[in-house]
Structure formats: structure tokens, C-alpha cells
Amino acid sequence: MAVSDDRKYTGQQVYNLLEGVKGKTLGEVDKSHQFARTATKPKITGIAGDVVEQSVFGYNRDSKQECDIEIDGVLTELKTTGVRIPKDELNRVAGKTGKAYNIHLHAKEGISITGVTFEPDIQRDFITSHFWEKSQHLLIVFYEYKSYVKVPASAFANFPIVDYCYNSFSDDERNKLENDWEKVRDYLEKVYDEFKNTNERNEHLVGFTHILRPNLMLIELVPGFKRKATGGYQKPRYRLKRTFVDYLVQGHFNKKRSESEIKLKESFSSFEQLDERCHKLTSLYKGKTLNELMSIFGIKEWSKDTTARCVLRMFDSDGKRLNQISDFTKTGIIAKTIAITTTDKRTEDMKLFHVDFEEWTDRDVDFEDSVIYNYFSEHSFLFPIFREDRRIVGSIANKQELAYDATHAITFEGFKRISFDDTFIEKEVRRTWENSRNLIFRNELVWNYEYNKSGEKKINKSGSYMGAPNLPKSSQYNVFFRGGGLISNETTRTEVVNGVKMLPQYIWLRGSYIADKLKETPYI
């Protein structure tokens, strides 16, 4: 692979070009008049990348499966991607600028790399694949997406270029990418070997992207492979997951992240390898009481995070929080210890993420582009399971002086891993998304007061009337809303939607669903 002379740069030239536009808006650097096109086309995919390629670097965009540029003789793919401050961190950046502000920036979306090769033949070697050739050396330009709703292409002119970075993947990351890519290759190879006729083969490939999704760690295939109304087929591209891109973004802007993250002494390159390791740990520690585990791992004092600390010790780590493990962060794995009873029941609901109502009230946002869709499609849960004898634990749970005794009544059972399949996302997650938005769009969102037996409104300890908005609740939904806050009054009800004041809302997962899902999921 080679690039034309007009796409060859020295490192110094790249430095001068990008340092010269840092802090400027995309509109200010648009010498090639990309935004003029928005007068007749309000929706232009990739306009930020067009500006960087054609106005900053000075070459025309193309769709070739080749690297964009060459820097000091190294073929490099140029990517432009949006970053922004999460809404729940806005109060932490008030008055801050420069590095103090930038450390709070997170990835807005994943990074598309290249199309999956279908014709004339699939690629069979990772090292020579278009995917690896284009992702091995990345030059990533970051612009700040200064909006929390979907904007027309013209609005990108107001977004500033924040910074840039060169990215080469670590050996562990490369191994994960290779395993993901090979899963796609193996699936395609089987279909290609079985069906020689192109039309018949395409029919058998419809929906394959959804089949592979739960097994891919760092990449995703978007859009899904499906038939188009025109008779052809919509074919996917390889894209780095947003969770992984966010890890890269945070690593660039927050140089101190490495001080708090946990790197496993023995990494894993696939879910199969993770499962194998969890299985070995279960063989070693299954049936041991928490007291025995504390003794094995040298944990002298009991605390609420003792179970998590024991699991970290199993993974040869001295950390305190499971979700500080970098391999989990990159791959979107949420690790959470679960306590079940002797009858396999667990009723605690699980808090997931804060709701951004600006997105929820935006009619132009499709379900497939929403935060809630991306959350459930990109994340999976790893549950280290502990069993409690409630006859003992329940009787002493509120007596701190006897808390240590509870460790004799808690035993380690093993690991279970759960991903959210398309059926759950399309049925449960979409139902919550659509029904809550319908309440908003139809002006049917109201505040439901709580009443006592005499028909009078109940008053809480803070002197405010008790109640909640009529958003999806756990009584009828597996994915539901719940307010966050210890006190509910006129001061803390800071979220306002359609004139209804409420506590900041969070998406939760119903405890009974988790219990049922765990019951039907075998131990790793």
C-alpha cells in the first residue's frame, strides 16, 4: 500500500498543521468551504472529518480501503472524532480551562475504521487485513461536540478542535482486536465455504452482525447486515466501540489515570479466555467462606467492599474496585459482586446510568443512536457470586460489632457472565425508551402524588409532598426510571421535564430480572 506524494508529511509538518488549528472552531479552519454545502444539505455525515482532511491537511476525501496519509514513512490513518463533557460532570468543570477542563472529556461515539471485505473474497490474515493496516497507526483529531442533542451539519462549524494524538495499540489491545477480527473472519469463512452463490450467501448473512455482537470485545459491526428496500444489501463497517475509544480518550487527556487503574498481571484477549480464567478461579475457591478467603488473601478487616477485594486478590491485584481493571473498562465489562440467598433469590435492583433528558426529548434521536441502546449493546456484566445464609447474615447485618461473624455465613460460588441479546434490547429496552418518550411528546408526563388511607397527600420528612413522575417503574418494566437522592424536596428536584419537577433520574435494571437471568445462566 502506498499514498500519493500530496499525502506524505513529516512529523514536523503534521505538528505545525495541527498546533495551528488547536482552539479554533471547525468553521474557522474551513478553507475548503465544507460548510457551504450545508445550505442545501442539512445532514452531512462526517463533515468534521472533511474539514480536517481537506482544509487542514489539504487533500480530498475518498472511500479507498487504504491509509489516508504517510508520516515520516509510516502509513497512518487520520480520524476525526467528537469528545464532550458528560452532563453529570459539568459542575466539575465550571471555570476551568485547558488541561484542567480537558481531563473531563469523554468519547461521544466509536471510531469507524473500514468496511468489512465481502467481495471478491473475504480476507483471511489479520496482519495483512484492511482493518489492521488502517488501525495499526492512528492520528486522531479531537473536536468538542458542544451539544447534548443531535445538531444539523451546519452547527459543527461552532465546535472547537481540542487536541490530537498518535495512537498505536498495546500488545494486549492488539491481541483483543485480532481475536475480534478472527471471529468475524471465521463466521464469514464458514458461510463462504457453504454458499458459493452470492445472492444465497447474502441471504444467510442477514443478521450475522447481531449474532456476533455479544462475543466481540473492542470492535462492533455497524450498520447491521440487512436487505435494503432497493434490493441490495446494507453492509457493515468495523468500528471501535465507544467504550474502548473512551478509554483511549481518557488516557490521552488524563495522564494520571494510570495511577488509579488496575492492570491485570495476566490479561485476556477474548471472552473465552476470560471465562477460562474465571473457571480456574472457581475451581480454586468455590465453597470457601468469606472468612477463609480473607485469611488466604491477608485481608484483616471486614468492610462493605470485602467481597470485591477478595475477587481482586483472585485476579492477583491489590486494588479495591473491580471496575478499575483496565481490561474491563476497555471492553465494557461491568463487574459487580452479587449476593444470593440459599434459595437463589436476589431482589436488589441495579442502578446503571444518569438520564440525559435533552436526548430523551429530542424527536430526531433514533433508538439505535441513543445512549440507552449503546449502553445495553456495548456492556456486559461479570458477576462474582456469593451465597448468604440469611438466617445468620440477616440477624446481624445491622450490628457492626458482629459484622465479622457474617463472613462465616457467606461462601463464594463462582462467576456468571451476562450479555444483553437483541431480543432483550428490542423488547425491554426499546419499550422503556418509546413509552417514556411518548409520555413526554404527548404531554402526558405528570407527577403522581402518594396518598394515605384518608385520601390526604403524604408528606416526607423534609416536609414535601411524596410522589414521583409517571415514568416507567419497576412494577411493570425490567428497565425503569428511579430518582437519585437521599432527600426529595423542592430544592433537590432539579430535573424539569414538561414542567414536571423531579429528582435527577437514573436508569435501573430490575432485580427480579437479574435473579431470573442468573438462575438460567450456568456458572462459567
Side-chain angles (χ1 to χ4, degrees):
M1 184 189 297
V3 300
S4 55
D5 289 341
D6 63 322
R7 297 190 179 212
K8 295 180 179 180
Y9 305 86
T10 65
Q12 186 62 50
Q13 286 175 320
V14 172
Y15 176 84
N16 292 340
L17 288 172
L18 293 177
E19 287 295 319
V21 299
K22 276 173 59 174
K24 294 181 179 180
T25 65
L26 291 166
E28 288 172 335
V29 303
D30 182 25
K31 296 184 296 184
S32 59
H33 309 295
Q34 299 301 314
F35 288 106
R37 296 185 290 148
T38 65
T40 56
K41 295 182 179 180
K43 294 182 180 180
I44 301 176
T45 302
I47 195 168
D50 291 342
V51 171
V52 171
E53 291 176 355
Q54 299 181 48
S55 296
V56 179
F57 281 83
Y59 65 84
N60 291 325
R61 184 182 186 183
D62 62 43
S63 58
K64 295 179 180 178
Q65 283 189 312
E66 298 176 351
C67 287
D68 294 318
I69 59 179
E70 185 179 293
I71 305 175
D72 291 335
V74 178
L75 290 171
T76 303
E77 182 72 3
L78 175 62
K79 291 295 178 184
T80 303
T81 193
V83 294
R84 65 180 169 190
I85 305 293
K87 288 191 74 176
D88 56 4
E89 291 192 35
L90 286 174
N91 62 328
R92 299 171 63 184
V93 299
K96 294 180 179 179
T97 58
K99 293 181 179 179
Y101 178 91
N102 291 347
I103 62 172
H104 297 281
L105 290 169
H106 288 259
K108 175 183 174 289
E109 57 199 359
I111 292 179
S112 177
I113 299 297
T114 191
V116 178
T117 303
F118 290 93
E119 303 294 349
D121 190 16
I122 64 169
Q123 295 185 314
R124 300 177 188 273
D125 182 58
F126 176 74
I127 298 301
T128 59
S129 68
H130 292 310
F131 172 81
W132 182 239
E133 288 175 340
K134 295 191 73 170
S135 60
Q136 186 176 10
H137 301 288
L138 295 176
L139 171 58
I140 308 174
V141 179
F142 303 108
Y143 67 91
E144 185 176 5
Y145 192 95
K146 281 183 166 291
S147 176
Y148 295 96
V149 296
K150 196 173 183 178
V151 301
S154 59
F156 280 67
N158 301 317
F159 297 160
I161 296 173
V162 181
D163 205 357
Y164 60 95
C165 76
Y166 294 97
N167 182 79
S168 293
F169 298 110
S170 68
D171 289 342
D172 286 340
E173 291 165 349
R174 202 209 83 152
N175 289 338
K176 287 181 173 64
L177 291 169
E178 184 171 3
N179 267 282
D180 282 355
W181 184 90
E182 288 181 346
K183 280 184 170 61
V184 179
R185 179 205 61 192
D186 292 347
Y187 190 95
L188 293 176
E189 194 168 49
K190 183 178 179 181
V191 174
Y192 269 66
D193 288 344
E194 187 172 352
F195 303 99
K196 304 301 181 183
N197 179 274
T198 301
N199 291 332
E200 189 178 7
R201 182 165 62 237
N202 284 338
E203 279 299 300
H204 280 82
L205 287 174
V206 170
F208 90 95
T209 52
H210 299 296
I211 294 172
L212 292 180
R213 179 182 58 77
N215 300 316
L216 303 179
M217 302 199 98
L218 300 184
I219 66 174
E220 57 187 348
L221 304 174
V222 290
F225 191 102
K226 62 182 181 181
R227 287 180 296 275
K228 296 189 292 187
T230 56
Y233 291 84
Q234 176 179 272
K235 296 180 179 180
R237 296 176 61 82
Y238 291 107
R239 184 168 72 179
L240 302 181
K241 288 184 180 180
R242 191 204 63 82
T243 49
F244 183 38
V245 176
D246 190 53
Y247 179 84
L248 301 179
V249 168
Q250 278 284 286
H252 173 70
F253 288 112
N254 185 4
K255 304 302 182 184
K256 293 184 178 180
R257 183 190 62 185
S258 59
E259 297 176 4
S260 59
E261 73 177 358
I262 299 169
K263 292 188 180 295
L264 297 178
K265 294 178 182 178
E266 183 183 344
S267 184
F268 51 87
S269 300
S270 65
F271 284 117
E272 290 84 357
Q273 286 187 7
L274 173 61
D275 290 351
E276 182 181 353
R277 187 166 184 191
C278 289
H279 181 75
K280 289 180 179 178
L281 294 176
T282 300
S283 299
L284 287 172
Y285 302 111
K286 177 178 171 59
K288 294 191 181 298
T289 67
L290 190 56
N291 178 262
E292 290 173 321
L293 292 174
M294 290 172 66
S295 177
I296 291 170
F297 297 124
I299 299 173
K300 301 186 182 301
E301 296 183 359
W302 180 90
S303 63
K304 290 183 178 180
D305 64 356
T306 297
T307 54
R309 292 173 66 192
C310 285
V311 174
L312 281 163
R313 295 296 194 280
M314 293 181 193
F315 281 96
D316 295 324
S317 171
D318 293 328
K320 293 184 178 181
R321 294 178 57 194
L322 284 168
N323 289 310
Q324 288 178 320
I325 295 176
S326 59
D327 279 310
F328 290 174
T329 305
K330 293 175 187 178
T331 55
I333 295 172
I334 298 172
K336 185 176 181 63
T337 58
I338 293 288
I340 60 175
T341 66
T342 51
T343 55
D344 286 335
K345 292 182 179 179
R346 180 184 180 276
T347 57
E348 287 185 18
D349 299 323
M350 187 179 295
K351 184 178 180 180
L352 300 182
F353 62 90
H354 177 253
V355 174
D356 175 7
F357 277 103
E358 285 197 55
E359 180 192 68
W360 234 263
T361 56
D362 186 350
R363 292 178 182 270
D364 292 330
V365 177
D366 295 326
F367 174 60
E368 289 77 9
D369 296 324
S370 67
V371 169
I372 193 170
Y373 176 88
N374 288 325
Y375 184 92
F376 280 94
S377 64
E378 289 189 347
H379 289 89
S380 61
F381 285 94
L382 178 67
F383 293 121
I385 310 291
F386 288 82
R387 188 179 300 276
E388 294 181 348
D389 187 335
R390 286 292 175 89
R391 294 170 300 178
I392 301 175
V393 177
S395 66
I396 63 176
N398 296 318
K399 302 175 183 178
Q400 187 63 35
E401 68 274 11
L402 295 176
Y404 183 77
D405 291 339
T407 62
H408 295 277
I410 300 173
T411 58
F412 176 67
E413 294 296 307
F415 296 88
K416 294 190 178 186
R417 186 167 59 82
I418 294 174
S419 295
F420 301 100
D421 58 26
D422 284 347
T423 300
F424 179 84
I425 292 174
E426 284 300 318
K427 181 182 177 182
E428 301 293 344
V429 181
R430 183 185 285 275
R431 175 170 169 249
T432 299
W433 164 260
E434 291 183 346
N435 288 2
S436 57
R437 278 162 58 89
N438 286 338
L439 288 173
I440 295 169
F441 296 148
R442 296 170 183 170
N443 289 316
E444 296 174 356
L445 181 68
V446 296
W447 180 270
N448 286 333
Y449 291 97
E450 292 186 27
Y451 297 87
N452 59 25
K453 293 181 179 179
S454 302
E456 300 171 325
K457 293 178 181 177
K458 290 184 179 181
I459 297 177
N460 61 27
K461 292 181 180 179
S462 65
S464 297
Y465 288 118
M466 297 174 65
N470 62 330
L471 291 164
K473 298 289 189 295
S474 61
S475 57
Q476 296 178 308
Y477 292 80
N478 284 325
V479 179
F480 64 94
F481 289 74
R482 180 180 291 168
L486 298 175
I487 301 174
S488 179
N489 55 36
E490 292 303 308
T491 302
T492 59
R493 293 170 187 167
T494 56
E495 192 73 71
V496 183
V497 184
N498 288 14
V500 179
K501 295 181 66 177
M502 64 189 83
L503 290 170
Q505 297 292 304
Y506 291 81
I507 293 296
W508 288 66
L509 193 60
R510 191 178 180 182
S512 58
Y513 166 80
I514 301 169
D516 291 341
K517 191 70 176 176
L518 286 172
K519 198 169 184 179
E520 69 184 39
T521 302
Y523 282 100
I524 296 172

